[in-house]
Amino acid sequence: MLLEIKTSATSTAVDYFPIVIQFVFAAGFVATTMFVTHILGPHLKTKKKLKAFESGIKSVGNARQPFAIKYFLTAILFVLFDVEVIFLYPWAVNFLDLGMGGIITMGLFMVLLLIGFFYIIKSGALDWE
Amino acid sequence: MVTLAQVLPAIILIVVIFALTMLVALYSTFAERKVAAFIQDRVGPNRAGPGGIFQPLADGVKFFMKEEVIPVLSNKFLFILGPSIAITASLMTGVVVPWGPDITLFGKTYPLQIVDIEIGILYVFAVVSVGIYGIMIGGWASNNKFSLMGAIRASSQVISYELSMGLAIIALIMVTGTLSLREIVEQQHGWHWNILYQPVGFILFLVCAFAEANRTPFDLPECETELVGGYHTEYSSMKLGFYLFAEYINMFISSAIMSTLYFGGYNYPGMDAVNEFVGPVIGPLIGFAVLFAKTCFFIFFFMWVRWTIPRFRYDQLMNLGWKGLIPLGILNLIATGAAVLYFK
């Protein structure tokens, strides 16, 4: 019930066909432009030009080195919260039809979620120095 | 099966919208420099053509004619794939925007929308999220420290602000009861614009749109003072052009989506009287012009903010996203729910 999306007309696969046309169009444009610029521009490659740019000094080591764990934590938290936001979409569409029962159910869900949210803030997972 | 007659209107519209998007993106670069010049009391580009009007064309030719440099240590395939994904994703979002009311030509009615799918908003979200892969792949493939840092910052920022954007949209959906952009616009007939019901939601959406498009004050991914050029440090020629173009197209599309969701799209007060007066061909075109004017205003607003507000620090950016906007979004959600129940 909660996961049914109510609309006046149901889309079929054929309705999505213009999206395919648009994609072919866009991808064709990108591929053509890439190819043409590859042909047109000059090709004067030197050893120093092809090095990674590091503000004019000699580049040190490999660029693919470890970076702050905070970014990883942010990504994990994003996945958790985004799933929750996706759950809210069908509920919001059917908001009026579900009435009080829907509010209470979703309220419970939100409270649990907010407890988790306060926990991650308190534990300092979102603190950046 | 799909016949040619069925898809021909869609194909024509796709070509027109594509040309329009490209033109707007080209001239946004010009407009940005002119707006910056105006705000900083300068003249701006004025050499190519009268008042510098051909400057974007000159820039375009330059992008084509420059040498493309692919660093030896980079991953060549991913290096080319990155900007391609970024611009393809940004070109895909305009499909679901209703650009105008149905137009009647030669006795037949055509919609001024390439495809009307019932999950319009979700489609926009999905495609915009793909765009970040372009930045991440390009930044990683460059094998440059600046690029990698820029790409990580960009993806981290975009996913953080996507949450609050989703919350803002959910509050809007509670008011409208549909995900289809066409239906949302039709509900805002005349002056019943959603901004009247969702002012806080609009502010949330606006701030997140700035962050999603990597625009100042959230342009940490390409922060010149720390990261040279950010994720596109190693890029040159048209590949750099694609990244910059993708940013301007995203700006154009998000302005159009903002006008559609909150400012009535092609609706304007007194539209019924005007439509009756000018007929079923000119009427929709006026509607399109109205939407375009609103979009242009938001593009100008993007530029205005860029040359007025300084850039945030990274911890401020993350704090605003997680500790400011998400709680505000949830509060807005609760308030909207209570209001909708009370009034309907």
Side-chain angles (χ1 to χ4, degrees):
Chain A
M1 168 72 176
L2 208 61
L3 289 172
E4 277 174 23
I5 292 186
K6 164 206 69 173
T7 41
S8 50
T10 328
S11 305
T12 53
V14 176
D15 293 340
Y16 289 80
F17 190 65
I19 295 181
V20 178
I21 304 175
Q22 171 84 11
F23 179 73
V24 171
F25 207 82
F29 165 77
V30 170
T32 317
T33 316
M34 280 287 188
F35 184 70
V36 169
T37 47
H38 181 73
I39 300 287
L40 280 180
H43 298 270
L44 300 163
K45 310 227 179 296
T46 63
K47 210 176 158 199
K48 282 194 175 151
K49 196 195 275 178
L50 296 180
K51 275 214 176 114
F53 177 78
E54 214 147 286
S55 309
I57 55 168
K58 240 183 175 181
S59 53
V60 181
N62 197 325
R64 282 153 199 170
Q65 53 199 12
F67 51 85
I69 190 84
K70 287 283 173 197
Y71 292 104
F72 182 68
L73 210 55
T74 311
I76 298 239
L77 292 175
F78 163 74
V79 172
L80 285 177
F81 278 85
D82 206 39
V83 167
E84 164 265 326
V85 169
I86 293 296
F87 274 138
L88 287 174
Y89 274 95
W91 171 75
V93 174
N94 295 309
F95 176 64
L96 277 178
D97 296 341
L98 291 172
M100 220 47 199
I103 302 256
I104 292 167
T105 321
M106 198 41 85
L108 207 63
F109 180 66
M110 291 290 274
V111 166
L112 286 174
L113 186 90
L114 281 176
I115 292 172
F117 187 63
F118 282 124
Y119 173 72
I120 57 171
I121 286 183
K122 279 280 165 233
S123 66
L126 295 171
D127 289 339
W128 295 71
E129 303 90 61
Chain B
M1 247 342 264
V2 190
T3 61
L4 187 66
Q6 274 175 312
V7 292
L8 195 62
I11 291 179
I12 292 172
L13 201 59
I14 284 174
V15 173
V16 171
I17 297 298
F18 182 80
L20 184 79
T21 313
M22 279 298 161
L23 197 71
V24 170
L26 264 178
Y27 273 89
S28 298
T29 60
F30 177 63
E32 174 121 71
R33 294 169 69 182
K34 277 291 188 191
V35 169
F38 172 69
I39 288 175
Q40 299 169 344
D41 204 12
R42 293 185 283 119
V43 180
N46 66 344
R47 289 304 161 110
I53 198 81
F54 298 130
Q55 186 67 42
L57 301 180
D59 290 341
V61 171
K62 224 172 153 183
F63 273 134
F64 271 106
M65 302 307 290
K66 285 287 173 185
E67 178 176 12
E68 53 168 11
V69 177
I70 300 179
V72 248
L73 285 174
S74 67
N75 184 323
K76 199 175 172 199
F77 173 67
L78 293 179
F79 192 78
I80 297 172
L81 188 68
S84 309
I85 291 182
I87 191 156
T88 310
S90 62
L91 283 170
M92 292 297 293
T93 37
V95 178
V96 290
V97 178
W99 296 100
D102 290 353
I103 190 166
T104 310
L105 286 177
F106 314 115
K108 282 182 95 177
T109 308
Y110 300 105
L112 280 182
Q113 182 184 21
I114 296 170
V115 55
D116 177 23
I117 46 177
E118 62 195 19
I119 51 154
I121 296 180
L122 281 182
Y123 171 82
V124 173
F125 262 92
V127 175
V128 166
S129 311
V130 173
I132 191 61
Y133 282 98
I135 292 178
M136 194 68 215
I137 290 174
W140 186 83
S142 301
N143 203 347
N144 178 312
K145 284 153 200 152
F146 297 121
S147 305
L148 184 69
M149 284 307 294
I152 293 166
R153 279 186 181 189
S155 42
S156 189
Q157 161 185 339
V158 167
I159 60 178
S160 300
Y161 280 76
E162 211 168 279
L163 290 176
S164 354
M165 197 182 227
L167 289 172
I169 292 289
I170 284 165
L172 181 75
I173 292 168
M174 285 162 79
V175 176
T176 61
T178 174
L179 291 169
S180 154
L181 287 171
R182 159 77 55 173
E183 280 178 45
I184 289 177
V185 174
E186 290 296 333
Q187 285 171 2
Q188 305 178 63
H189 195 80
W191 54 270
H192 295 278
W193 296 356
N194 282 332
I195 180 73
L196 300 174
Y197 309 104
Q198 279 294 315
V200 180
F202 169 67
I203 303 284
L204 272 173
F205 192 91
L206 183 74
V207 174
C208 297
F210 273 84
E212 296 268 321
N214 293 333
R215 294 284 302 183
T216 326
F218 306 110
D219 68 337
L220 274 296
E222 42 194 296
C223 171
E224 298 91 346
T225 42
E226 300 163 20
L227 293 179
V228 189
Y231 57 87
H232 53 58
T233 303
E234 289 291 352
Y235 281 90
S236 57
S237 157
M238 204 45 155
K239 293 198 227 26
L240 174 66
F242 275 167
Y243 271 130
L244 302 182
F245 251 49
E247 182 182 320
Y248 281 98
I249 294 172
N250 280 338
M251 203 163 90
F252 171 55
I253 298 294
S254 55
S255 300
I257 301 265
M258 263 191 283
S259 322
T260 304
L261 291 181
Y262 291 98
F263 283 85
Y266 48 73
N267 296 303
Y268 52 96
M271 58 188 296
D272 291 325
V274 173
N275 280 347
E276 211 156 287
F277 186 68
V278 295
V281 181
I282 309 290
L285 291 180
I286 294 178
F288 169 73
V290 167
L291 173 63
F292 195 70
K294 289 172 186 170
T295 308
C296 286
F297 170 76
F298 278 114
I299 294 179
F300 170 71
F301 188 72
F302 268 95
M303 292 169 184
W304 188 6
V305 169
R306 172 165 180 184
W307 299 105
T308 310
I309 299 178
R311 180 184 289 136
F312 282 127
R313 229 172 40 222
Y314 203 73
D315 60 326
Q316 293 171 331
L317 170 100
M318 289 314 239
N319 277 345
L320 178 67
W322 283 92
K323 295 175 188 167
L325 295 184
I326 289 179
L328 186 65
I330 291 175
L331 277 181
N332 183 41
L333 199 72
I334 294 167
T336 308
V340 169
L341 273 190
Y342 186 75
F343 288 113
K344 283 186 184 169

